[in-house]
Amino acid sequence: YYHCSDNHLDHKDLRLVSEHSRCSGRLEIQHGEQWGTLCDVDVGLEDADVICEHLHCGAATVTPGRAHFGKGSGPVWKEIYRCRGDESRLWNCSVSPRVEFSCSHENDASVICSDASWSLRLIDGGSRCDGRVEIYYDGAWRRVQDNLWDLNDAHVVCRQLGCGDGIAAYNSSKSGESARSVWLTDIQCNGNETHLQNCSSSLFDSSPIASTGIGVLCSGEKKVSYESSYLASRCECEAKRYKGIGIARKV
């Protein structure tokens, strides 16, 4: 391996190419005046993290392959980047040439960064804070399918939608089945993320099939009743009144 400098291999720029966001798309790198792509098997999450940092797009969430954002044109570059994940620019990563090269644009690498915007909705439930989870991406609403869907994941969806906390994470057969294509699977959230795209996940492209996905029931906007507010105020006043003699009286 050898270390890259800004001038090595005559790097000029890199970009993620898609129709919807500068922070997600097909990975393209410019050498000299020519743009080219990289092979999907050579781009891991550590490399993707550096690419997202390089582009000021947050952290990497997914590195889909098989030309997920469409096939590029021009050369498929032969270098393999070996990033640790803490570099600020891709050119600071070690790089080695691919000895055996058989990659084509059918295998163009892509990267999705956390700043890429995913619109969420819950449908076929009792309210906007209850229902089957769908994500709007690449011009269409897509379904989420996950056998390990749990309350940590539900918390993130509810938080992103402004619907409070997650109360239940369930199989979406409760909200009816959907024939929409599955786009996302294997979501693993810690529960403290602000957006679903910040969680670990995998892309899953499929033709429209009638199988169940996942759903969420959120707490909704919290409302404090007049009675509970009144009692809380009375308790506070009584506590202050008897504080001097060390007595707290229940109301």
Side-chain angles (χ1 to χ4, degrees):
Y1 302 120
Y2 51 89
H3 193 71
C4 295
S5 67
D6 281 349
N7 295 322
H8 187 69
L9 296 178
D10 198 17
H11 289 116
K12 278 202 169 181
D13 208 352
L14 65 83
R15 64 189 180 190
L16 299 177
V17 180
S18 73
E19 297 179 359
H20 305 287
S21 172
R22 75 174 188 86
C23 290
S24 65
R26 180 178 61 252
L27 174 60
E28 296 190 352
I29 294 176
Q30 186 183 30
H31 291 320
E33 300 298 326
Q34 193 169 26
W35 287 95
T37 61
L38 289 181
C39 190
D40 52 13
V41 300
D42 298 329
V43 180
L45 273 178
E46 291 84 2
D47 308 317
D49 274 335
V50 176
I51 290 165
C52 294
E53 173 70 17
H54 189 136
L55 294 172
H56 305 289
C57 284
T61 58
V62 192
T63 56
R66 295 191 175 184
H68 178 77
F69 289 94
K71 294 188 289 186
S73 58
V76 180
W77 301 121
K78 297 183 179 182
E79 66 265 24
I80 302 174
Y81 292 91
R82 307 287 187 181
C83 299
R84 299 184 306 273
D86 57 356
E87 297 89 348
S88 60
R89 294 172 63 81
L90 186 63
W91 321 142
N92 299 136
C93 299
S94 297
V95 63
S96 62
R98 174 184 278 273
V99 178
E100 295 182 3
F101 190 78
S102 59
C103 202
S104 70
H105 286 299
E106 297 286 343
N107 302 100
D108 281 343
S110 300
V111 172
I112 295 178
C113 305
S114 60
D115 278 4
S117 178
W118 295 354
S119 296
L120 304 184
R121 70 178 181 184
L122 303 179
I123 67 169
D124 296 336
S127 69
R128 78 172 190 89
C129 295
D130 174 29
R132 184 175 64 251
V133 178
E134 292 190 349
I135 299 177
Y136 188 82
Y137 193 79
D138 201 22
W141 285 102
R142 313 291 182 98
R143 189 156 45 96
V144 181
Q145 193 172 36
D146 195 336
N147 292 329
L148 300 177
W149 185 252
D150 60 22
L151 200 56
N152 281 342
D153 308 321
H155 283 320
V156 178
V157 171
C158 294
R159 186 178 301 117
Q160 182 169 344
L161 291 173
C163 285
D165 299 320
I167 295 177
Y170 54 80
N171 185 297
S172 68
S173 58
K174 177 180 176 181
S175 304
E177 298 187 2
S178 172
R180 297 185 185 278
S181 61
V182 177
W183 185 66
L184 201 66
T185 188
D186 295 332
I187 299 171
Q188 297 181 23
C189 300
N190 294 321
N192 57 1
E193 296 88 349
T194 57
H195 292 78
L196 193 63
Q197 61 261 35
N198 298 138
C199 303
S200 172
S201 60
S202 300
L203 296 182
F204 177 78
D205 289 312
S206 73
S207 58
I209 53 176
S211 63
T212 58
I214 49 87
V216 165
L217 173 63
C218 305
S219 62
E221 294 182 0
K222 295 181 179 179
K223 296 182 180 179
V224 180
S225 67
Y226 170 78
E227 182 179 2
S228 62
S229 298
Y230 172 71
L231 289 175
S233 297
R234 280 196 62 191
C235 288
E236 184 179 356
C237 289
E238 291 292 337
K240 289 180 178 178
R241 180 179 175 183
Y242 287 92
K243 183 177 180 181
I245 57 176
I247 298 175
R249 190 179 71 175
K250 291 184 178 180
V251 178

